[in-house]
Short mmCIF file of all heavy atoms in Angstrom, two decimals:
data_model
loop_
_atom_site.label_atom_id
_atom_site.label_comp_id
_atom_site.label_asym_id
_atom_site.label_seq_id
_atom_site.Cartn_x
_atom_site.Cartn_y
_atom_site.Cartn_z
N ASP A 128 156.07 96.79 145.71
CA ASP A 128 157.16 97.73 145.66
C ASP A 128 157.80 97.77 144.30
O ASP A 128 158.20 98.84 143.83
CB ASP A 128 158.21 97.41 146.71
CG ASP A 128 157.76 97.66 148.14
OD1 ASP A 128 156.86 98.50 148.28
OD2 ASP A 128 158.33 97.09 149.07
N SER A 129 157.86 96.62 143.60
CA SER A 129 158.54 96.53 142.33
C SER A 129 157.62 96.84 141.14
O SER A 129 158.04 97.13 140.06
CB SER A 129 159.27 95.17 142.14
OG SER A 129 158.26 94.15 142.20
N ASN A 130 156.31 96.74 141.36
CA ASN A 130 155.31 97.01 140.27
C ASN A 130 154.41 98.10 140.67
O ASN A 130 153.75 98.06 141.73
CB ASN A 130 154.49 95.75 140.01
CG ASN A 130 155.27 94.61 139.48
OD1 ASN A 130 155.97 94.76 138.47
ND2 ASN A 130 155.17 93.46 140.09
N PRO A 131 154.35 99.18 139.86
CA PRO A 131 153.43 100.29 140.18
C PRO A 131 151.96 99.81 140.15
O PRO A 131 151.62 98.93 139.42
CB PRO A 131 153.72 101.34 139.07
CG PRO A 131 154.93 100.88 138.39
CD PRO A 131 155.14 99.44 138.66
N ILE A 132 151.17 100.42 140.97
CA ILE A 132 149.76 100.00 141.14
C ILE A 132 149.00 100.19 139.82
O ILE A 132 148.12 99.41 139.51
CB ILE A 132 149.08 100.72 142.32
CG1 ILE A 132 147.75 100.05 142.66
CG2 ILE A 132 148.81 102.17 142.01
CD1 ILE A 132 147.95 98.68 143.28
N GLY A 133 149.38 101.22 139.04
CA GLY A 133 148.69 101.47 137.75
C GLY A 133 148.93 100.31 136.79
O GLY A 133 148.06 99.85 136.07
N ARG A 134 150.17 99.76 136.79
CA ARG A 134 150.50 98.59 135.94
C ARG A 134 149.70 97.39 136.39
O ARG A 134 149.21 96.61 135.53
CB ARG A 134 151.96 98.29 135.96
CG ARG A 134 152.34 97.16 135.00
CD ARG A 134 153.82 96.78 135.10
NE ARG A 134 154.69 97.90 134.98
CZ ARG A 134 156.00 97.90 135.38
NH1 ARG A 134 156.47 96.83 135.95
NH2 ARG A 134 156.73 98.95 135.24
N VAL A 135 149.57 97.17 137.69
CA VAL A 135 148.83 96.01 138.21
C VAL A 135 147.38 96.10 137.83
O VAL A 135 146.80 95.14 137.35
CB VAL A 135 149.02 95.87 139.71
CG1 VAL A 135 148.12 94.82 140.32
CG2 VAL A 135 150.49 95.66 140.08
N VAL A 136 146.77 97.27 138.03
CA VAL A 136 145.36 97.47 137.69
C VAL A 136 145.14 97.32 136.19
O VAL A 136 144.18 96.69 135.75
CB VAL A 136 144.86 98.85 138.22
CG1 VAL A 136 143.48 99.17 137.68
CG2 VAL A 136 144.82 98.85 139.73
N ASN A 137 146.03 97.91 135.40
CA ASN A 137 145.91 97.81 133.95
C ASN A 137 146.00 96.38 133.47
O ASN A 137 145.19 95.96 132.63
CB ASN A 137 146.99 98.68 133.30
CG ASN A 137 146.80 98.77 131.78
OD1 ASN A 137 145.72 98.59 131.26
ND2 ASN A 137 147.91 99.08 131.10
N ARG A 138 146.94 95.67 134.02
CA ARG A 138 147.15 94.25 133.63
C ARG A 138 145.94 93.41 134.05
O ARG A 138 145.43 92.58 133.32
CB ARG A 138 148.42 93.71 134.27
CG ARG A 138 148.75 92.31 133.82
CD ARG A 138 149.25 92.36 132.44
NE ARG A 138 149.34 91.00 131.98
CZ ARG A 138 149.61 90.69 130.70
NH1 ARG A 138 149.85 91.66 129.87
NH2 ARG A 138 149.66 89.44 130.36
N PHE A 139 145.46 93.69 135.25
CA PHE A 139 144.28 93.00 135.81
C PHE A 139 143.07 93.17 134.94
O PHE A 139 142.39 92.26 134.55
CB PHE A 139 144.04 93.42 137.21
CG PHE A 139 143.20 92.49 138.02
CD1 PHE A 139 143.74 91.38 138.56
CD2 PHE A 139 141.90 92.78 138.27
CE1 PHE A 139 142.95 90.53 139.33
CE2 PHE A 139 141.11 92.01 139.03
CZ PHE A 139 141.65 90.84 139.57
N SER A 140 142.79 94.42 134.57
CA SER A 140 141.60 94.73 133.79
C SER A 140 141.73 94.21 132.37
O SER A 140 140.79 93.76 131.76
CB SER A 140 141.34 96.25 133.79
OG SER A 140 142.39 96.92 133.18
N LYS A 141 142.95 94.27 131.82
CA LYS A 141 143.16 93.75 130.40
C LYS A 141 142.96 92.27 130.33
O LYS A 141 142.39 91.77 129.40
CB LYS A 141 144.56 94.12 129.93
CG LYS A 141 144.85 93.78 128.50
CD LYS A 141 146.15 94.37 128.07
CE LYS A 141 146.59 94.05 126.64
NZ LYS A 141 145.75 93.27 125.80
N ASP A 142 143.45 91.53 131.35
CA ASP A 142 143.27 90.06 131.38
C ASP A 142 141.77 89.71 131.48
O ASP A 142 141.28 88.80 130.83
CB ASP A 142 144.06 89.43 132.49
CG ASP A 142 145.57 89.43 132.18
OD1 ASP A 142 145.95 89.72 131.03
OD2 ASP A 142 146.33 89.14 133.15
N VAL A 143 141.07 90.40 132.34
CA VAL A 143 139.65 90.10 132.55
C VAL A 143 138.90 90.47 131.32
O VAL A 143 137.99 89.75 130.86
CB VAL A 143 139.10 90.86 133.79
CG1 VAL A 143 137.61 90.78 133.84
CG2 VAL A 143 139.75 90.27 135.03
N SER A 144 139.25 91.55 130.69
CA SER A 144 138.64 91.92 129.39
C SER A 144 138.85 90.88 128.33
O SER A 144 137.95 90.60 127.57
CB SER A 144 139.17 93.31 128.94
OG SER A 144 138.65 93.64 127.67
N SER A 145 140.05 90.39 128.21
CA SER A 145 140.37 89.33 127.25
C SER A 145 139.53 88.09 127.51
O SER A 145 139.03 87.45 126.60
CB SER A 145 141.84 88.99 127.28
OG SER A 145 142.63 90.06 126.88
N LEU A 146 139.41 87.73 128.77
CA LEU A 146 138.54 86.56 129.10
C LEU A 146 137.10 86.78 128.76
O LEU A 146 136.46 85.90 128.19
CB LEU A 146 138.68 86.28 130.61
CG LEU A 146 139.87 85.59 131.15
CD1 LEU A 146 139.85 85.50 132.65
CD2 LEU A 146 140.03 84.19 130.56
N ASP A 147 136.57 87.94 129.11
CA ASP A 147 135.15 88.21 128.91
C ASP A 147 134.80 88.38 127.45
O ASP A 147 133.74 87.91 127.02
CB ASP A 147 134.70 89.42 129.71
CG ASP A 147 134.71 89.19 131.20
OD1 ASP A 147 134.71 88.01 131.54
OD2 ASP A 147 134.72 90.20 131.92
#
Side-chain angles (χ1 to χ4, degrees):
D128 287 340
S129 60
N130 294 307
I132 194 68
R134 184 186 306 161
V135 172
V136 170
N137 187 22
R138 185 71 192 175
F139 198 78
S140 63
K141 186 172 179 358
D142 287 348
V143 170
S144 174
S145 295
L146 282 175
D147 289 343

